[in-house]
């Protein structure tokens, strides 16, 4: 039992753990290596990074979520939006495994809509 | 108290209750507190992760939808161990307007299905005063 059953949290904003997206060219493909947490606050940043990578007009864009340890539905909405935007222009692929990223996408049926690969190599080499 | 730097020792073993402004920037800190709490009460890694994500989705839903016509709203996050029933209960309450998910080509509205997929049982209770999402996970024997 807590000594203080109710607490008013203070007004300061906790330091954002943030999200980083590193663009790496791989021949005709571009890999966006994403690390951090994708939530309501950082999802727009993911969208900006993907759009910037798309502007390089690769044949294939691989969004690698291997180093992402939290994925909320706000992030999934961004990924679905980018996937729809990519249709007819480039191949949009996601790398994700494990419970933090693959499981939420599986639970919401997103794995049926977007090509998701367990490793970056497979995403880059699949036909 | 800085939620982002809260020690595990500050996380209560039994009941948990935070009231914060319903804004996106406040949720990451609460997520960390929930993760520490879930670990402390002995949930499995899988259930802890599910509890953190489902609770986050419920809070995010409040931030995005509950107070759309108002400048500032509050949300309450509560966690409780129910030993009698052998389960963990998390509730997220807002005091705004409940709006059913809008169909929009699969872009939005994944939060509630996600909550349902991550919990053994969940209920959404809209009232004129606000909405409470209640989520349950079984405690390990």
């Amino acid at each position: 039992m807590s000594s203080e059953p109710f607490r008013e949290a203070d007004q300061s904003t906790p330091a954002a753990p943030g999200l980083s997206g590193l663009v790496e060219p791989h021949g005709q493909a571009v890999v966006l290596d994403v690390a951090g947490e994708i939530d309501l606050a950082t999802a727009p940043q993911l969208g900006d990074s993907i759009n910037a990578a798309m502007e390089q007009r690769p044949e294939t864009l691989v969004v690698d979520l291997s180093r992402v340890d939290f994925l909320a539905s706000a992030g999934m909405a961004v990924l679905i939006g980018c996937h729809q935007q990519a249709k007819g222009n480039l191949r949009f692929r996601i790398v994700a495994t494990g419970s933090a990223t693959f499981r939420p996408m599986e639970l919401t049926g997103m794995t049926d809509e977007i090509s998701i690969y367990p490793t970056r190599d497979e995403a880059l080499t699949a036909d | 108290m800085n939620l982002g730097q809260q020690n595990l020792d500050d996380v209560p073993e039994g009941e948990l209750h935070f009231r914060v402004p319903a804004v996106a920037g406040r949720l990451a800190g609460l997520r960390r507190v929930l993760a520490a709490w879930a670990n402390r009460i002995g949930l499995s890694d899988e259930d802890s992760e599910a509890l953190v994500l489902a609770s986050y989705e419920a809070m995010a839903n409040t931030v995005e939808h509950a107070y759309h016509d108002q400048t500032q709203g509050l949300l309450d996050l509560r966690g409780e161990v129910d030993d009698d029933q052998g389960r963990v209960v998390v509730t997220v309450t807002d005091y705004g307007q409940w709006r059913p998910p809008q169909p929009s080509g699969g872009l939005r509205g994944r939060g509630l299905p996600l909550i349902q997929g991550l919990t053994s049982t969940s209920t959404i209770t809209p009232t004129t005063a606000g909405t409470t999402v209640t989520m349950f996970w079984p405690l390990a024997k």
Side-chain angles (χ1 to χ4, degrees), chain B residues 2-25:
Chain B
N2 185 331
L3 281 182
Q5 297 173 1
Q6 187 171 29
N7 294 319
L8 188 60
D9 292 346
D10 296 326
V11 178
E13 197 169 341
E15 294 177 22
L16 175 132
H17 182 192
F18 288 95
R19 168 170 289 186
V20 298
V23 293

Side-chain angles (χ1 to χ4, degrees), chain B residues 37-76:
Chain B
W37 181 74
N39 182 267
R40 184 165 185 162
I41 61 177
L43 282 187
S44 68
D45 287 351
E46 189 184 340
D47 279 345
S48 294
E49 206 163 54
L51 182 147
V52 170
L53 180 53
S55 304
Y56 183 87
E57 291 296 330
M59 294 191 288
N61 194 59
T62 288
V63 168
E64 286 195 293
H65 302 302
Y67 298 111
H68 53 106
D69 290 334
Q70 299 162 38
T71 51
Q72 175 93 314
L74 293 173
L75 72 79
D76 279 306

Side-chain angles (χ1 to χ4, degrees), chain A residues 1-2 5-15 17 37 39-41 69-74 76-77 80-81 84 99-100 103-104 107-110 113, chain B residues 1-4 6 10 12 15 17-21 24-26 28 31-32 46 49-50 52-53 56-57 60 63-64 105-108 110-111 114 117-118:
Chain A
M1 186 64 197
S2 165
F6 173 83
R7 304 189 217 180
E8 168 65 38
D10 82 6
Q11 297 300 308
S12 63
T13 304
E37 302 182 328
D39 61 13
L40 194 57
D69 42 34
F70 185 79
L71 176 63
S73 65
M76 290 189 248
I80 291 278
Q84 288 171 350
S99 53
R103 186 183 179 203
L107 283 171
T108 56
M110 201 175 132
E113 297 170 54
Chain B
M1 182 182 67
N2 185 331
L3 281 182
Q6 187 171 29
D10 296 326
E15 294 177 22
H17 182 192
F18 288 95
R19 168 170 289 186
V20 298
R26 303 306 293 268
R31 203 164 71 216
R32 275 172 246 299
E46 189 184 340
E49 206 163 54
V52 170
L53 180 53
Y56 183 87
E57 291 296 330
V63 168
E64 286 195 293
L107 267 177
R108 284 291 181 187
R110 282 170 193 274
L114 193 50
L118 291 165

